[in-house]
Amino acid sequence: MGRRPLIHRSPMPGLGLSMGITLTMLSIVVLLPIGALLLRGAVFGLDGIWDTVNRERVWKALFLSFRLSLFAAVFNLVFGVLLAWVLVRYRFPGRRLLDAAVDLPFALPTAVAGIALTALYAPNGVFGALAKEVGWKIAYSQWGIFLALVFVGLPFVTRTVQPVVEEIEREVEEASATLGAGRLHTMAHVILPMLTPAALTGFALSLARAVGEYGSVIFIAGNIPLLTEIAPLLIVIRLEEFKYDEAAAIGIAMLAISFAMLLAINLIQIWSRRRIGHV
């Protein structure tokens, strides 16, 4: 038997050109910036990186950013899937308007989103005043950060899951009901396994967006060190102080944590696909 080729040729021409353009753009947009960051960290040294990261203010900022990003991504995972299901399976007045509004965080500049959320949820805002009456502070607290991260991350889950919901035929649910399964059993054992890979992809995108979010958060966070200061803001502060090595060190710490979290999500995706394949 002959060796199997590493690259399966397509009847359509242009493999070399398309591969070259793809690798060039990938290098310019992704690989070169990450390489420059790692190179800066290598020059700074592991001791310098650790000395920069191993400070209470940095640890607090990292923990705050990743913790609230994870909470927001989980929230978006649940409600994003529900929103996608409602938009596809039900017809009601205003559905098209709601469907269009899902893309609003994509089109809205993050600074504008932050100012709008702050105006609404500040103590003198429409919703902030109502929350203040019951003793709940939203803006200038961690609740405000969570709200901003939910706002920017929800469309990723909804738009990733929505095409999959459209492809699920109603006959699948009807067949499950014919075999005696109830609605909850059908949803848990038939529908959700089919949505899991797309939902996890949307979850990963939402998490990645939330971790690096800056513009929509700084206006509503209050930016109090050790309380509501996020890691991206701390990087900007170090850059404004011309401490480029320390900024790179914090960026490398965020990169390492983000890579570990996304790796775990990808492993879960692989496991879910294999589990669906064996069912």
Side-chain angles (χ1 to χ4, degrees), residues 92-111:
F92 53 89
R95 185 184 68 87
R96 293 184 180 275
L97 181 61
L98 179 61
D99 190 26
V102 172
D103 294 327
L104 186 61
F106 288 146
L108 198 65
T110 55

Side-chain angles (χ1 to χ4, degrees), residues 36-84:
L37 177 65
L38 296 178
L39 179 61
R40 187 85 189 194
V43 173
F44 193 35
L46 291 177
D47 292 337
I49 294 175
W50 177 249
D51 290 339
T52 300
V53 175
N54 192 28
R55 300 172 184 174
E56 183 182 9
R57 184 178 180 181
V58 178
W59 281 121
K60 289 281 189 180
L62 290 172
F63 181 66
L64 175 68
S65 293
F66 283 96
R67 174 169 54 87
L68 292 183
S69 296
L70 182 60
F71 290 164
V74 171
F75 181 92
N76 289 334
L77 175 64
V78 175
F79 288 94
V81 171
L82 290 175
L83 180 57

Side-chain angles (χ1 to χ4, degrees), residues 29-220:
V29 176
V30 179
L31 299 181
L32 286 179
I34 293 179
L37 177 65
L38 296 178
L39 179 61
R40 187 85 189 194
V43 173
F44 193 35
L46 291 177
D47 292 337
I49 294 175
W50 177 249
D51 290 339
T52 300
V53 175
N54 192 28
R55 300 172 184 174
E56 183 182 9
R57 184 178 180 181
V58 178
W59 281 121
K60 289 281 189 180
L62 290 172
F63 181 66
L64 175 68
S65 293
F66 283 96
R67 174 169 54 87
L68 292 183
S69 296
L70 182 60
F71 290 164
V74 171
F75 181 92
N76 289 334
L77 175 64
V78 175
F79 288 94
V81 171
L82 290 175
L83 180 57
W85 184 268
V86 169
L87 290 175
V88 173
R89 288 305 181 92
Y90 299 100
R91 297 294 181 269
F92 53 89
R95 185 184 68 87
R96 293 184 180 275
L97 181 61
L98 179 61
D99 190 26
V102 172
D103 294 327
L104 186 61
F106 288 146
L108 198 65
T110 55
V112 176
I115 294 173
L117 290 173
T118 304
L120 289 173
Y121 292 96
N124 58 347
V126 177
F127 301 117
L130 296 175
K132 184 179 179 180
E133 292 181 359
V134 297
W136 187 19
K137 182 180 180 181
I138 300 178
Y140 316 124
S141 69
Q142 295 187 14
W143 283 109
I145 300 175
F146 173 78
L147 183 65
L149 298 181
V150 167
F151 176 79
V152 298
L154 182 63
F156 288 96
V157 180
T158 301
R159 290 308 188 211
T160 305
V161 174
Q162 198 169 349
V164 181
V165 177
E166 292 175 350
E167 293 178 357
I168 299 177
E169 299 180 355
R170 294 182 182 270
E171 286 78 3
V172 175
E173 304 167 48
E174 295 172 356
S176 178
T178 302
L179 295 174
R183 291 184 177 180
L184 291 179
H185 187 276
T186 300
M187 181 61 68
H189 295 87
V190 178
I191 302 300
L192 285 182
M194 300 172 68
L195 298 179
T196 297
L200 289 177
T201 300
F203 172 80
L205 293 173
S206 177
L207 177 63
R209 172 65 188 272
V211 167
E213 183 60 25
Y214 175 77
S216 63
V217 175
I218 56 172
F219 293 99
I220 199 172

